[in-house]
Amino acid sequence: MSLLHVARSWALVTTLLAGLVGCATPPPSAPQNDFWSGRLALNVAAEPPQSMSAAFELRGNAREGELALFSPLGQIMAVARWQPEGATLQQGERTFVYAHMDELTEQLTGTALPLPALFQWLRGMASEVPGWSADLSGHGDGRILAQRLTPLPRAELRIRLQP
């Protein structure tokens, strides 16, 4: 796997997890179509270890939505979009197409991300997922910690939401 592919993969993972695991107060008129923004940090216990941080914006729900990652200067690094008909990842001028979000996240991380559970975590609700652990004790302060214990490599995602 090339270094570019690894970097692209972790950028998307960070984007997906960050937006999906973050938290904020949802708009009262759209309880199933929310918006979250803030900063995230992802550390992966791979060989060699990898880490990344970015600002993010997430709109939508587990069925359909959009997640954007931003550089420290506010430039868009990647945008993932999903709906029942499929998922896409856009990085600059390049667009990658997948049959569904499970395929997109599995291709990039080695396992499908628990999208429905991630949106539950966003709302501050516990949701059990094999291989994952979410600490929601800081949810009221806009902080969430999620860890992937299996499959390896282990990963730790820290979210800090904008007030």
Side-chain angles (χ1 to χ4, degrees), residues 122-138:
L122 284 165
R123 293 180 181 95
M125 296 184 285
S127 183
E128 298 297 318
V129 179
W132 287 85
S133 172
D135 178 357
L136 304 178
S137 63

Side-chain angles (χ1 to χ4, degrees), residues 86-158:
T88 61
L89 172 65
Q90 185 172 356
Q91 290 183 302
E93 299 296 318
R94 298 186 67 186
T95 300
F96 304 90
V97 179
Y98 300 90
H100 44 76
M101 273 304 279
D102 285 352
E103 180 184 8
L104 186 154
T105 60
E106 187 168 348
Q107 174 69 31
L108 296 173
T109 68
T111 186
L113 295 176
L115 208 57
L118 290 169
F119 275 95
Q120 293 290 4
W121 298 337
L122 284 165
R123 293 180 181 95
M125 296 184 285
S127 183
E128 298 297 318
V129 179
W132 287 85
S133 172
D135 178 357
L136 304 178
S137 63
H139 185 269
D141 296 325
R143 292 179 291 117
I144 291 179
L145 170 65
Q147 296 179 339
R148 184 182 71 192
L149 306 173
T150 59
L152 296 176
R154 289 183 173 206
E156 178 181 271
L157 174 70
R158 293 184 178 275

Side-chain angles (χ1 to χ4, degrees), residues 11 15 33 41 53-55 74 80-81 90 101 115 128 159:
T15 302
N33 193 17
S53 64
R81 293 180 181 90
Q90 185 172 356
M101 273 304 279
L115 208 57
E128 298 297 318
I159 304 292

